[in-house]
Amino acid sequence: MTFQRSPARDRGVAVLLIVATLAITLADAGTGPQLHFALFMGIAPLIAALRCSYRWTGAVAAVYLLCQVLIQVRLVPEWSVASKVVGVFGALLVAVFALVLCRTRLEREALYARTSMVADAVQREMLRELPLTAGPLEAYGFYVSAQEGARVGGDIYEAVETPHGLRLVIGDVQGKGMPAIGAGHEVLASFREAAYYKDSLEAVAERMEQALARYNVRSAERGGQERFVTALLLEVRGEDGTKVLSCGHIPYYLVRGGRVTERSDGEGGLPLGLGRLTDETRQSVAVEPVADDWIVLCTDGVTEARGADGSFYPLADRLARWVHLEPDELARTLRADLERFTGGQLKDDATVLIVRRAPHTARPEAADATAAGAPQDRDRRPRSGGRDRAMTGIS
C-alpha cells in the first residue's frame, strides 16, 4: 500500500491555521499591550509540519513569522529593542524548525511508501489475490493476517491447473504472523512445483514434507524455531472424481442442497514436518461430490476465533444461514461477521476459501446436448429460492 497525500486536505488544514493566526493577531491588536495571545501561536506551524505539505507548511510559517514581527514592532512599544529582537528571533526559530520537521516527515513517509510498495509486491507474489481460478474451479474467500499491517503470515493457500487435474491446498503454519512466513513460503513453493509433476496427492505431500524438513534444518542452524504445517490438499480430475488428503488439518465443510456438513475425509495424517515420526504413510480419500456442491475450506484462525463471551466462532451455523449468497458476497459477509464477532481482535491468521465450479462451465449433460444440436434456454433453468443461482458442483 503506497502512501498518498490529499492536496485538498493539506490546503484545508493550512488555510485554517493561517486564518486562526491572523484572527488571534487582530484580536491582540484590539486588547492593548497587556494581553498577547498571538505569542502562543507557535503551535500553528508545528501542526502544519505534521499535517501539511512542505509548501503549505512554509506558508503557515511565513504568516506566523510576519504576525510575530508585527506584534513585536507595533503592538508592544514599551518593550525594549533587545526584547523585540529576542521575540522575532524566537519566532524565526519556530518557523525554521517547522520547515525542518516537515521535510523530515515527508522523507520518512516517502521511505515508508517505497518500503511498503516492495513488501506488498513480495507478499502478493507469495499469496495470490483472491479469488483464485484453476480451470473451471473458482475459489473465493478472504485472508486476514494476525500481524497488523502485513498481507501474509502463517496461513497459505493456492489453486493450480496441472496435467494431473485441478489441485488446491490450504495450510496453517505453526505460529502466526511474520515469524511463520518462512516455513509457509517453503511449503507453498514446493506445492506449486510438485503439483505439476507428481501424479498423486501423496507424492505432492511428500515433496512438501521434504521442503519443510530442509527449512527446519536451516532454521535450527540459525537458532530459529522448527515448525510444522497442517494442510489440506484437494484434487479434481474430471470424471475420475475428487480426492482429499489431510495433513493434520481441520475438517472442511460441504454445502449441498442448502445444507452444511462438516467433513473429515482423509483425517488422521500427521502435519507436514512431523511425518517422520511414524512409518504410516498419508493416504488420500476419494469423495463423490454431486452437482451444485460447494466446498468451504478454512484454517483454525476462523473456527477458534473467540467472541467477547469466550465462545468460538460458529462457522457452520453462519454458512447455513447464508448459503443463498453468491460466493463473493458470502466471503465478504463472513469476513465482516468474523470481525464483528471478535471485535476486530483476531488472535491468529484466518483464511476461508469457498470453492465451486465456475457458473459458465458447462455440465457434461449440457455439453452432450449442445453437441447433438439440442437448444438450451438459460432463462428456463429451475431456481430454488436463489440458492441454485448459477451454481454448479465441483465434481
Side-chain angles (χ1 to χ4, degrees), residues 5-339:
R5 298 203 59 81
S6 170
R9 189 195 69 174
D10 289 352
R11 181 172 60 252
V13 173
V15 169
L16 179 63
L17 292 172
I18 289 173
V19 170
T21 301
L22 292 174
I24 292 178
T25 301
L26 292 176
D28 271 2
T31 58
Q34 291 78 18
L35 296 175
H36 295 291
F37 296 107
L39 295 176
F40 298 99
M41 283 305 296
I43 193 174
L46 298 180
I47 293 176
L50 297 175
R51 300 293 301 274
C52 303
S53 65
Y54 189 78
R55 183 182 59 154
W56 282 110
T57 299
V60 174
V63 170
Y64 164 75
L65 182 59
L66 290 175
C67 289
Q68 291 301 309
V69 170
L70 175 65
I71 290 174
Q72 302 297 335
V73 174
R74 295 291 186 181
L75 302 183
V76 286
E78 73 283 0
W79 286 11
S80 65
V81 174
S83 297
K84 294 181 179 181
V85 170
V86 170
V88 172
F89 184 71
L92 178 62
L93 287 180
V94 171
V96 171
F97 177 76
L99 292 174
V100 173
L101 179 62
C102 181
R103 173 64 66 183
T104 301
R105 175 183 62 83
L106 292 175
E107 289 175 351
R108 289 183 178 274
E109 287 180 355
L111 176 61
Y112 173 78
R114 292 193 298 270
T115 303
S116 297
M117 182 176 63
V118 172
D120 191 60
V122 172
Q123 293 178 110
R124 287 177 184 273
E125 285 300 313
M126 180 177 172
L127 284 183
R128 292 194 292 148
E129 290 286 330
L130 292 169
L132 300 176
T133 58
L137 284 189
E138 291 180 337
Y140 290 84
F142 63 85
Y143 173 75
V144 181
S145 174
Q147 183 77 38
E148 184 178 358
R151 181 182 294 273
V152 299
D155 287 357
I156 57 173
Y157 59 82
E158 182 60 286
V160 293
E161 185 176 9
T162 77
H164 311 290
L166 308 173
R167 287 174 168 173
L168 181 145
V169 66
I170 186 171
D172 186 359
V173 183
Q174 174 197 9
K176 61 183 179 180
M178 301 300 288
I181 286 180
H185 175 71
E186 291 287 339
V187 172
L188 191 58
S190 64
F191 169 80
R192 287 168 173 163
E193 180 72 14
Y196 279 95
Y197 299 107
K198 295 300 180 180
D199 184 62
S200 66
L201 285 183
E202 290 84 355
V204 174
E206 178 62 24
R207 184 61 65 88
M208 296 164 68
E209 176 92 43
Q210 294 169 359
L212 184 58
R214 292 192 297 268
Y215 169 83
N216 282 335
V217 170
R218 296 195 304 270
S219 180
E221 291 174 349
R222 297 192 301 265
Q225 180 181 354
E226 297 184 12
R227 298 183 183 274
F228 63 84
V229 179
T230 66
L232 186 71
L233 285 76
L234 176 71
E235 177 183 274
V236 181
R237 289 201 184 194
E239 296 181 357
D240 294 336
T242 301
K243 290 184 177 181
V244 175
L245 190 152
S246 177
C247 302
H249 201 70
I250 63 176
Y252 65 95
Y253 296 89
L254 176 67
V255 182
R256 175 178 294 174
R259 299 183 62 183
V260 179
T261 306
E262 184 178 283
R263 300 289 294 267
S264 56
D265 303 308
E267 190 177 37
L270 289 176
L272 300 172
L274 302 180
R276 298 295 185 265
L277 298 180
T278 177
D279 294 333
E280 296 181 5
T281 59
R282 299 183 179 91
Q283 295 291 331
S284 62
V285 177
V287 296
E288 297 181 359
V290 300
D292 297 333
D293 278 356
W294 290 12
I295 285 181
V296 179
L297 313 173
C298 67
T299 59
D300 60 11
V302 178
T303 56
E304 295 182 4
R306 291 181 179 269
D309 58 353
S311 60
F312 292 113
Y313 183 70
L315 178 59
D317 293 341
R318 295 298 200 267
L319 288 174
R321 182 187 304 176
W322 296 319
V323 291
H324 64 283
L325 300 178
E326 289 293 324
D328 55 344
E329 186 179 359
L330 175 59
R332 292 192 299 269
T333 303
L334 282 174
R335 178 169 182 173
D337 185 67
L338 181 63
E339 291 182 352

